[in-house]
Amino acid sequence: MKQSKQLPSSESLGFIEEIYSQYVKDPSSIGKDWRQYFEGLLNGDVLSRGFRTEPSFLPSSIFHTNGGVAAPSPSGQTSEAELQQRVGMLVRNYRVRGHKVSDVNPLPVPKPSLVELDPGYFGITEADMDRVVAADTLVGVGPIKVREVIQRLQNTYCRFIGVQFMHIDDLNVREWLQRRMEMTENRLAMSREEQLRILTRLTDAAMFEDFILKKFIGAKSFSLKGSESLIPLLELAIEKAGKQGILEIELAMAHRGRLNVLVNILNKSPQDIFRLFEDADAEYYKGRGDVKYHLGFSSTWTTQEGKEIHLSLCFNPSHLQYVNTVALGRMRAKQDRAGDTGREKGMALLIHGDAAFAGQGINQETLNLSELKNYSTGGTLHVITNNQLGFTTPPEEGRSTQYASDIAKMLQSPIFHVNGEDPEAVAQVVSMAMDFRHEFKRDVVIDMYGFRRYGHNETDEPSFTQPKMYEMIAKRRSVYEGYLEHMLALGGISRDEADSIASRQREYFEQELSKARSHDYEVRGEKLKGIWAPYIGGSAAHADWPETKLPKTRLTAILEAQTKLPDGFHLHPKLDRMMTQKLDMAAGKKPLDWAGAESLAFGSLAMEGYRVRLSGQDSGRGTFSQRHAILHDYETGDRYVPLQHLAPDQAPLEILNSPLSELGVLGFEYGYSLDYPDALVLWEAQFGDFVNAAQVIVDQFVTSSEIKWNRLTGLVMLLPHGLEGQGAEHSSCRIERFLELAEDDNIQIMNLTTPAQYFHGLRLQAIRKWRKPLIIATPKSLLRHPEAISSLDDLAKGGFQTVIADEEVKTAKAVLLCTGKVYYDLLHARKDRGRRDVAIVRLEQIYPFPEEVLSGVLARYGKTTPVVWVQEEPGNMAVYPCLRQKYCENLLGHPLSLVSRPNSPSPATGHASSHKLEQQILVDEALSI
């Protein structure tokens, strides 16, 4: 900051106080120099910002030698007005910095000494301590002694709760939080009944962990010990949610403490978990299932007031935080299905580990979605179970920030740090956090400090890497024992009552273990129910093939409706041609292009009652300026989506521009598809190549959820694909990777060549009851290719074809078998060469491989006719490696060979001229048969 010039000598300390008073009330009302200086002073970093200790625009008399603000006066005593101002500055500093010295860590670690929290820093002396001030800026306090102000500040901001909230820009939000905390000194008044419920939940948590450790010695359970307060925290959150009208809670968490949460919150039968520890059902789980601490569960919670809340804990892989956006997508789908546009009846509750929350980028993507209207769920409760350790890595080696939660400061939301060994402090932050979420519809974070009593799992020795930390942990009693002593001291419970609660829980677990070990125990496989009851998974042999064709009159009407705009809407001049083309398509004067067929698929499904949700980067316009589903008024910028105005009773149809994310958004749309099976849910990559940025979602969720968790999804992934000379990162959607993951008919992979195929494929995906993920390698050049066209008759007749035969060539010397864009390159070359002895057959559905249909097509040309697989990708990529692995050199009785680009570690060259040369060589080789 530039130094201001010296103020006139007539400036007085009163003038400075007046400016500071204005700053406290409204920082924006004073000049920039003053505002930056006060901010620097209050944040304790004046010198680090380049200020002199005594800036030239302030009188030097108001400074201590240590940089703090003094208040000298002729009488030697601070005036009342001066003292009032100094106390106000101290109050603000506690709000800003108090969390840094709070007792949130249950382990005895040194705390920093902050000079900006020292009253002397502001010229408040011991002689001032018993003087009475108004303390106007301290909420809920009238005239009060200075020492009492300081005590209230320490109670509110420096006990077992530390709060970061002064980064929030909205003054109303900050004042709301200040009222909630300062009027109660950040302590919740609890009845004996409420304290007993906390004790009971701590007992349940502790007894479960002890029972597992005793009965299954050496087994991995990823114990919650050291953070048992998570269980009462969750109960308090759920009870509060019930009072706020919440009917659904979607939970997600990693493995730490998951079994405890399943039993004590989701009410899953302990016998089913104990049976998994017994590992006695090898035959049943052969080739499927997942480890016990990844499993999900759903149940109904009945609150103390008799209200029912549906709880769902998402299934989760070992990839920790990647389930976050999946849970958000599920909650959004539930809200949309219920018509909860206010996002008031459901909420997501995400439980994080400290190292993962700071270390994994998916958390930034999750937080970024929270305030976007197309992805918001009305505010998520984030709970960090802070073990102060990531496997064996301490915080100073695992993050660059003071707190694991610091990334959450990107939001306009508070972060509550709380000592997990004080369950009543936990209860206070849960109450505040849930009320904040309800009031402002924003995410909120609880950072609950605890520790991990054992190693990463129960077979690890943690003192190998953290000897001093585990020396301290060994001396800590459990949260349950500590709170029990607290209750005993208060007289809130007797020792006999406490022993009875614990004994009752142990007996219950013993009974459940006996059932689990019984010879007549029967594994209860989870059947599809509720909204998923009409759908099936399993083999493609069981797939239904409903009709997807539509009358031409309906197709025409849908196209025409897309050209009708509101009165006074100013269409961009360059889009007039698009509207004319759609009218020509509707009249049959012009063939359908790719975008036209897509709009007919989307529109017709919406009119039939199927919700359509397409989400992706720039999906409104389309990456290749082909879609223009969202129109923008050229003069006002207002938006209009013609597909949303086809019929008054149509289902919702959403074309959404996503943030610049693959991983988080794909996870969200996958989650959405889990709770909206009767919708067509699509995620579109800007280029198919970018799907590898979401590989975890593809591998751990999309392609494996059925065999691991018996969870079906009809998610569609639109991945632009095709070598066009645009370089290595704009050519391939890595079909080979999907084929590596394809087995047991778990997914569908298509590479289509006509708009009609696209139309029928999308409609089939929505209408059929056989539910599998669908990957479509969508084209780029074919979007406007003069031969990649269809007629309305193609949509009004027939249906989806897994293989398209060559109807022009009846007898052939060889069959060129291909998929996607390269078909047109081969077709042109065959015409140029006048080759009538080479058939070109298109494989439209790559997986499940249409063996029977293809066999029938190839049989037309005789059993000895060679088949040449032609692909424009390198030979080690795309489809051929899979064909070669399965069929070797004989495809369904026909000799099989390959024409492709040479093997390469990169999908394509980055030079257009090189691309054309390579393509020419490839086509020449294919037609040299």
Side-chain angles (χ1 to χ4, degrees), residues 704-743:
S704 59
S705 61
E706 181 177 357
I707 197 167
K708 289 196 298 188
W709 310 318
N710 194 33
R711 283 292 176 269
L712 304 182
T713 171
L715 177 69
V716 180
M717 298 168 61
L718 304 178
L719 308 178
H721 174 87
L723 276 69
E724 313 276 11
Q726 296 188 52
E729 281 75 54
H730 297 83
S731 299
S732 173
C733 73
R734 300 290 192 171
I735 289 175
E736 67 277 4
R737 292 186 179 173
F738 291 103
L739 286 170
E740 287 175 357
L741 298 167
E743 193 55 60

Side-chain angles (χ1 to χ4, degrees), residues 80 83-84 87 128 131-136 141-146 149:
E80 289 186 12
L83 182 61
Q84 198 76 44
V87 170
D128 295 320
R131 295 176 63 185
V132 175
V133 292
D136 294 335
V141 177
I144 186 174
K145 292 181 179 180
V146 173
V149 169

